[in-house]
Amino acid sequence: MAPPQHDVIVIGAGFAGLRALHTLRSAGRRVAVLEAGDGIGGVWYFNRYPGARCDIESYDYSYSFSSELEQEWRWTQRYATQPEILRYIEHVADRFDLHRDVHLGRRVVRAQWDEAAGLWELTTEGGEHWAAAFVIWAVGNLSTTKQPELPGQADFRGRILHTARWPHADVDVTGLRVGVIGTGSSGMQSIPILAGTAAHLTVFQRTANFSVPAQHRAISGAEDAAVRADYPARRARVLASPSGLGFRPRREATVEVPEAERTAIFEQAWDGAGFGFGLAFRDLLTDQSANDLAAEFIRDKIAQIVTDPTTRELLTPRDHPFGAKRPVVDDGYYATFNRDNVSLIDIRTDPIDRLDASGIVLASGATHALDVLVLATGFDAITGSLLRPDIVGRNGLSLRQKWSAGPITYLGLGTHGFPNMFTIAGPGSPGLLINVLVGIEQHVDWIADLLADMDERGATRVEATEAAERDWGAHLLARTEQTLYPKARSYYMGDEVPGKPRVFMLYTGGLRDYRRILAECVADSYAGFEFDKD
Ligand SMILES: Cc1cc2nc3c(=O)[nH]c(=O)nc-3n(C[C@H](O)[C@H](O)[C@H](O)COP(=O)(O)OP(=O)(O)OC[C@H]3O[C@@H](n4cnc5c(N)ncnc54)[C@H](O)[C@@H]3O)c2cc1C
């Protein structure tokens, strides 16, 4: 085999892969990015459904590595829409000349470590071979879509769309009968918009979810100027906050606060905190009685909004703690069900049996005629895109084999048996529990520093030790047990895919603690990693 042209191959051209390309290339490394899709942007390239937006404020859900970039980009909305975020990503790629090292239409299907050569050899779906000393999986937490098992799809005369593979051309549902399966984030964001034009919208709901209002608004010139003037301090607040949102929860325990004051705090959070509602108090995700109070507050809000009693009860979440599934940040979701052209079907009590030529048939035999069926059925989350390719490490060990009972990592960055391989914002890290972009940048910088350290040592190989990942796994478990997360069936726990191991996959200790742990690892000369030269 010819010597490899690259030091590092990054897989995935979303926020993570592009940041890795920029940072590592700036450090003088030869980097290639292999991307399965036909465009850059990852999640923001694929999820073009109506209403798709970020649920972290735009300024905080943006790259922090360049103050020039911060100063020249103008966010227009508090929560940017998908087209605006994709424009931003394209702007970044142009500005930092990233396109030339991104290779589109390259799905990596196999990665094999060659111990003798000290190289990763990658194979794409198209049969190309690539090789590099280091491989970084920037394949995303929510990038492998989940398709529901729905017999009869071939019989259906209407159109079937998945929110995460939404067509690039506008989809006009004016005057059409539309069905939506799924009431997670994508469903709850798209339902109010689809309801605005569809002749009739039928929502098929299995689980009622908690949602808090986004309180969308345009960003005024004055507000924008104020943020730009304060950007470094804003970024510092984000890094010092537990979830990367820029603020800390109140210190008191929820139940200690007198009822009237507590309600006022919840009201204030409801009116403006968006995703940060869960941080109104510090113990909402660790103390059941505190959580019950927050959940009851939201249930009361739903009761105030939704007029039909049956629909209201169906929309009211009662089977999991607030926040133990990723809460949704919506724009008029509950009120949409007061519209005459919207109906809600409970598929927990009457499951979908199949599709026929005209629409959905339920187990009871009831039928719902549709022209368009929207699958808002989400993703094989967190590990989906890491376990889809065949990743083979030292001594023929496959990642699928190693992770058959759940992902095992050290710090969410490396895994024993897979030298010179890193994952970004994936299992074992705070991942989806925090502002993901902050987690991505932190990982990329950390990996870049590690590679620089290896240069200084004269090392060419790095690998997490078995002991370190065992300790990290125990720490993850201990932290998780202090929370209410295991009380919900969620994608954090692998519940979204039948047969997936049921383990909590993320670090629940928050961004601040995680940053401290990574810094300690560095200060201790990358303790828990082994190098071929120390
Ligand atoms: C609709 C939606 C809204 C979201 N909103 C927020 C938000 O507001 N705040 C937040 O913090 N997080 C949000 N997220 C989470 C989101 O995953 C992250 O914020 C972030 O975009 C992830 O970036 P990434 O680069 O890690 O992954 P992705 O954007 O998922 O990119 C991964 C890329 O890897 C490619 N890929 C995967 N496997 C392979 C392979 N084998 N070979 C080649 N290429 C491959 C994919 O095609 C994809 O382009 C949202 C997710 C979704 C789906």
Side-chain angles (χ1 to χ4, degrees), residues 65 174 283 376 431 503-504:
F65 66 85
T174 309
D283 56 357
V503 286
F504 195 86

Side-chain angles (χ1 to χ4, degrees), residues 11-12 14-16 35-36 42-44 54-56 61 106 108 138-140 436:
I11 301 152
F15 269 120
E35 164 57 51
V43 152
W44 303 105
C54 56
D55 55 18
I56 307 275
Y61 191 68
R106 263 73 168 199
V108 175
V139 286
V436 179

Side-chain angles (χ1 to χ4, degrees), residues 34 46-47 67 88 143 179 211 213 220 222 299 317 354 366 373 382 389 416 424 429 433 480 483 490 495 505 514 527:
L34 304 182
F46 290 108
N47 290 260
S67 54
Y88 170 76
S143 49
S211 184
S220 69
R299 290 187 199 112
R354 64 183 188 282
L373 176 61
I382 305 171
H416 181 66
I424 297 193
S429 81
L433 297 181
T480 301
T483 73
S490 71
D495 287 311
M505 292 185 273
Y514 184 67

Side-chain angles (χ1 to χ4, degrees), residues 231-252:
Y231 236 136
R234 186 175 177 121
R235 297 293 193 189
R237 284 194 296 275
V238 162
L239 290 178
S241 65
S243 302
L245 300 179
F247 56 88
R248 298 184 188 192
R250 298 173 66 95
R251 295 310 304 155
E252 310 99 298

Side-chain angles (χ1 to χ4, degrees), residues 10-18 33-49 52-57 61 63 79-80 82 85 89 103 105-110 123-124 137-144 163-165 185-186 189 243 245 275 326 379 384-386 388-389 424-426 431-438 440 491:
V10 178
I11 301 152
F15 269 120
L18 295 174
V33 177
L34 304 182
E35 164 57 51
D38 296 327
I40 62 167
V43 152
W44 303 105
Y45 177 79
F46 290 108
N47 290 260
R48 295 166 188 252
Y49 60 84
R53 288 176 186 255
C54 56
D55 55 18
I56 307 275
E57 292 197 22
Y61 191 68
Y63 287 125
Y79 298 105
Q82 174 271 331
I85 299 175
I89 294 173
H103 305 269
R106 263 73 168 199
R107 174 172 296 285
V108 175
V109 291
R110 186 175 167 82
T123 311
T124 66
W137 297 92
V139 286
N141 272 309
L142 300 175
S143 49
T144 291
T163 46
R165 291 292 177 272
S185 199
S186 311
Q189 282 188 333
S243 302
L245 300 179
F275 195 66
R326 188 173 166 103
F379 304 90
S385 293
L386 285 167
R388 205 167 150 189
I424 297 193
L432 287 162
L433 297 181
I434 62 167
N435 175 346
V436 179
L437 210 41
V438 175
I440 285 171
Y491 63 48

